[in-house]
């Protein structure tokens, strides 16, 4: 059964016009009126639905029954990362969604290759948000992660008050970094900070530590900018699955 995201709130018996991407999906699949769909609006759970009408430019569906199905991690995980260049960031966003990230904060660091600001940053965030939605449709998640607009690293760190709850972990190769599995806490929220190509500078790491980030290690190997945050997220997911 095709799974589609609808940005408007759903309710039993309510007819809804699908957004453009979902409309094209239905048309490509050559579905007909009466065909069943699975819809989710991001507020939790999913809906059994059916196609009511198909036109050249729009598809109307009706929500029938709600199922309280959740496929989220027990901990809300935010990935704050120096953006890798080119299509690597697209892949990172997609895979982070599949692995269960709650939010993604792209960062511009001193060694960043990809640098965006202003309207371009907003356009990038919207592009990545569309990738997140498509990944949710594929992997079965009913709550849609948020991709924030890119920010300079220092600005983002300064915006995080001391009262912010949750565990703050800095992916690091420093000798004093604890293994990630050993640093696992019992907080409901965890934020991973990871650098771009070339890593964070010493000054950036020092400032992150001042802002409460504990250095943790993923092992002796040097991982790419797009690999390290996904590996950290996979560790969290694996530990939860084994608990």
């Amino acid at each position: 059964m095709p799974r589609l995201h609808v940005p408007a709130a759903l309710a039993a018996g309510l007819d809804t016009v699908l957004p453009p991407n979902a409309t094209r999906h239905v048309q490509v699949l050559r579905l007909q009126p009466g065909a069943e769909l699975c819809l989710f609006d991001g507020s939790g759970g999913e809906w059994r639905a059916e196609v009511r009408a198909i036109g050249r430019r729009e598809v109307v569906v009706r929500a029938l029954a709600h199922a309280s199905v959740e496929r989220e991690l027990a901990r809300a995980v935010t990935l704050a990362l120096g953006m890798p260049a080119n299509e690597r960031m697209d892949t990172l966003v997609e895979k982070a969604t599949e692995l269960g990230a709650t939010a993604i904060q792209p960062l511009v660091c001193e060694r960043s290759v990809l640098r965006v600001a202003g309207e371009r940053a907003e356009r990038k965030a919207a592009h990545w948000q569309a990738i997140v939605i498509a990944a949710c449709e594929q992997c079965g998640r009913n709550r849609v992660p948020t991709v924030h607009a890119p920010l300079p690293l220092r600005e983002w760190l300064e915006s995080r008050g001391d009262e912010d709850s949750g565990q703050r972990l800095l992916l690091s190769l420093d000798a004093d970094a604890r293994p990630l599995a050993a640093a696992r806490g019992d907080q409901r929220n965890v934020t991973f900070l990871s650098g771009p190509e070339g890593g964070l500078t010493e000054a950036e790491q020092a400032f992150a530590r001042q802002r409460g980030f504990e250095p943790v290690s993923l092992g002796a190997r040097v991982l790419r900018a797009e690999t390290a945050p996904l590996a950290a997220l996979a560790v969290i997911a694996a530990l939860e699955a084994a608990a």
Side-chain angles (χ1 to χ4, degrees), residues 67-86:
S68 300
V69 178
E70 296 295 350
R71 303 181 180 95
E72 301 300 302
L73 296 178
R75 304 178 76 189
V77 180
T78 296
L79 297 183
L81 47 95
M83 297 173 288
N86 303 321

Side-chain angles (χ1 to χ4, degrees), residues 109-140:
C109 308
E110 291 186 33
R111 292 171 175 162
S112 291
V113 175
L114 178 60
R115 294 178 175 273
V116 294
E119 291 185 4
R120 189 183 176 205
E122 295 291 341
R123 289 196 301 271
K124 281 288 188 182
H127 168 71
W128 292 323
Q129 193 67 53
I131 291 175
V132 162
I133 289 172
C136 285
E137 291 175 339
Q138 180 273 323
C139 73

